[in-house]
Amino acid sequence: MSLINLLEFPMLGDDRGSLVALESGRAVPFDIKRVYYIFGTMEGVSRGFHAHKELQQVAVCVSGQCRMLLDNGTEKAELWLDAPTKGVAIEPMVWHEMHDFSSDCVLLVVASEHYDESDYIRNYEDFIEQVSS
Ligand code: T46
């Protein structure tokens, strides 16, 4: 599978404005158990710097933009999340970092599981060791 799995969400707009729906099994390829959003990120601050062991996620900037780096241990790729119709899948065992948040950025993430700190690998050397074994 390609490292960058882009998801294009249908725009359900009309003359009143725009609407995007994220539904399990349709726009989002797993059952959604959790939704969180990151906003008000200070200028120059980067986030992420971890991989998940099992968690599946889809991220989309519903406002503004940020740059996401994905790294599967052998290959790295970057993309801009810069439209509310453009999502990216964050697969398990993919190191990810988010950079260059615009001041109006709201990064919405849907996740397949409840929050569980034991699912995180927050040390890059540990990640490389685990992804290679
Ligand atoms: C991810 C990227 C894209 C919770 O208590 N519940 C939650 O659901 C989440 C997501 C976080 N937290 C706590 C854990 C930390 O004490 O909120 C604090 C900040 O979390 P973290 O430093 O992991 O935030 P980011 O922006 O580095 O990463 C987040 C998600 O945690 C992570 O799963 O993939 O966004």
Side-chain angles (χ1 to χ4, degrees), residues 1 5-9 22-32 56-59 87-91 110-112:
M1 189 198 286
N5 181 9
L6 272 183
L7 304 168
E8 191 64 36
F9 306 130
L22 302 183
E23 293 185 78
S24 296
R26 293 186 174 175
V28 175
F30 51 78
D31 284 344
I32 299 168
Q56 292 176 269
Q57 302 191 101
V58 167
V88 67
I90 307 173
E91 305 289 350
V110 295
S112 62

Side-chain angles (χ1 to χ4, degrees), residues 34 36 38 47-48 50 52 57 96 98 115 120 122:
R34 179 165 53 110
Y36 61 91
I38 294 167
R47 304 189 62 128
H50 59 255
H52 287 284
Q57 302 191 101
H96 50 284
M98 295 87 78
Y115 174 71
Y120 285 71
R122 291 191 183 270

Side-chain angles (χ1 to χ4, degrees), residues 6 60-67 79-87:
L6 272 183
V60 53
C61 281
V62 296
S63 168
Q65 61 182 30
C66 70
R67 179 170 58 87
L79 75 153
W80 281 95
L81 291 174
D82 53 7
T85 53
K86 179 179 172 182

